[in-house]
Amino acid sequence: MDKARHPAPGIDYPRTFQEFDAWFCDEAACRDYIRRLRWPNGFICPLCGAGREPWDMSRGLLRCRACDGQVSLTAGTIFEGTRKPLRTWFLAIWFVTSQKNGVSALGLQRVLGLGSYQTAWTWLHKLRSAMVRPGCDCLAGEIEVDETYVGGPEEGRRGRGTQTKAIVAVAAEKHGKGIGRIRLRRIKDVSADSLLSFVQGTVANDATIHTDGWRGYAGLAALGYQHQVTTISASHEAAHELMPRVHMVASLLKRWLMGTLQGGVQPQHLDYYLDEFTFRFNRRPSRARGLLSYRLLQQALAVRPLPYHQIVAAKDHKLPLGPT
Ligand SMILES: [Zn+2]
């Protein structure tokens, strides 16, 4: 069993909103929880490595008894430098993970009473950055890989050229007749470069990869993968029957984007939505809302903060989403 699927030793999490509200009733409670999550086996000073319990200073600062250095509880997490209460962040995590379709920035702004839409929007994107689990966590076994096209007025997949749509590479583990874990990534084109680097970054190198006959995948065997090719035109079956898992994932993704974003997503930001979809999809056995929010909180503490300018880079291109 994957160790990371279980809460850290000695760490419990609230199961319902009532519990959540009671657990994280004030800043001290939120800070205490973060501290237990970051150092489940007791504080280790990141400056000197000493394992003595630190002094509690004000506002989330700890002072090491060994080296006298100051350590911020939120340094190196997505909460670093925030001027908003941690409780508000915790609530945001609860809302994002407890809504089936996630929340829009406007929805989050309303429910948390945030002063500006921009703050809500930035928070959502910071949280999404935490949905990608740090470190390589590659798909393994038998994998279907294909691309799908998201957004734009031209519907359906007509060849592999596109002007207005974003191209999303999809990898899905075969899990009996069902789907195991997935990976999604926006790619700039369907060249061998783009497709092979997607596969190399997401799939373990002893996996068996099932694709259609597109030449962009021809180099897989040379990279050491077992490559199983099904040529659609030579087959009597429709594409969705040959690669049922990636087709299912693509159609769920499009439906989710339509339901959550209602109208438009900027191609540069599509990456974040792909990360959120993947986070939710790969944790669909974690039906308990509390567990999903615990996961997100745990990962929020483990990722580097994302600078705002990096989130908003090239903000003005809107990519309309076509019907699914
Ligand atoms: Zn120290």
Side-chain angles (χ1 to χ4, degrees), residues 227-249:
H227 188 196
Q228 185 189 346
V229 181
T230 308
T231 311
I232 307 268
S233 54
S235 156
H236 295 294
E237 292 178 282
H240 68 269
E241 295 170 84
L242 294 171
M243 308 268 263
R245 293 168 190 81
V246 288
H247 278 263
M248 172 63 78
V249 170

Side-chain angles (χ1 to χ4, degrees), residues 145-152 154 156-171 183-192 194-195 198 214 217 250 253-254 257 265-271 274 319-321:
V145 176
D146 201 359
E147 323 92 55
T148 191
Y149 294 79
V150 176
E154 9 155 356
R157 202 178 101 172
R158 301 190 188 89
R160 274 173 153 101
T162 178
Q163 300 294 314
T164 54
K165 287 169 180 286
I167 312 169
V168 175
V170 182
R183 290 289 182 271
L184 303 171
R185 187 185 296 167
R186 186 168 62 92
I187 52 178
K188 66 179 190 335
D189 54 33
V190 293
S191 65
S194 298
L195 292 169
F198 166 69
W214 173 245
Y217 294 110
L253 169 69
K254 289 172 194 179
L257 286 171
V265 57
Q266 294 146 356
Q268 292 78 2
H269 304 150
L270 182 61
D271 303 341
L274 298 180
L319 179 76
L321 286 172

Side-chain angles (χ1 to χ4, degrees), residues 45 48 64 67:
C45 174
C48 73
C64 176
C67 71

Side-chain angles (χ1 to χ4, degrees), residues 91-270:
L91 285 168
I93 286 176
W94 180 270
F95 284 118
V96 163
T97 50
S98 64
Q99 307 294 311
K100 185 158 181 277
N101 283 331
V103 291
S104 65
L106 193 60
L108 191 68
Q109 184 193 355
R110 282 183 186 149
V111 81
L112 296 181
L114 294 171
S116 79
Y117 175 84
Q118 192 195 25
T119 302
W121 190 87
T122 307
W123 280 32
L124 275 189
H125 283 74
K126 284 191 174 187
L127 290 175
R128 287 188 181 105
S129 76
M131 290 173 185
V132 186
R133 187 184 284 178
C136 182
D137 188 22
C138 288
L139 303 189
E142 287 185 58
I143 321 285
E144 291 177 2
V145 176
D146 201 359
E147 323 92 55
T148 191
Y149 294 79
V150 176
E154 9 155 356
E155 197 38 50
R157 202 178 101 172
R158 301 190 188 89
R160 274 173 153 101
T162 178
Q163 300 294 314
T164 54
K165 287 169 180 286
I167 312 169
V168 175
V170 182
E173 282 177 342
K174 298 186 188 181
H175 200 258
K177 288 198 180 303
I179 307 172
R181 297 169 302 163
I182 62 164
R183 290 289 182 271
L184 303 171
R185 187 185 296 167
R186 186 168 62 92
I187 52 178
K188 66 179 190 335
D189 54 33
V190 293
S191 65
D193 263 5
S194 298
L195 292 169
L196 297 183
S197 88
F198 166 69
V199 171
Q200 284 190 290
T202 51
V203 180
N205 54 17
D206 57 353
T208 299
I209 296 179
H210 186 187
T211 70
D212 61 20
W214 173 245
R215 63 176 183 269
Y217 294 110
L220 281 172
L223 292 173
Y225 291 101
Q226 299 290 317
H227 188 196
Q228 185 189 346
V229 181
T230 308
T231 311
I232 307 268
S233 54
S235 156
H236 295 294
E237 292 178 282
H240 68 269
E241 295 170 84
L242 294 171
M243 308 268 263
R245 293 168 190 81
V246 288
H247 278 263
M248 172 63 78
V249 170
S251 83
L252 289 172
L253 169 69
K254 289 172 194 179
R255 202 184 304 165
W256 181 79
L257 286 171
M258 285 300 291
T260 306
L261 306 173
Q262 294 172 353
V265 57
Q266 294 146 356
Q268 292 78 2
H269 304 150
L270 182 61

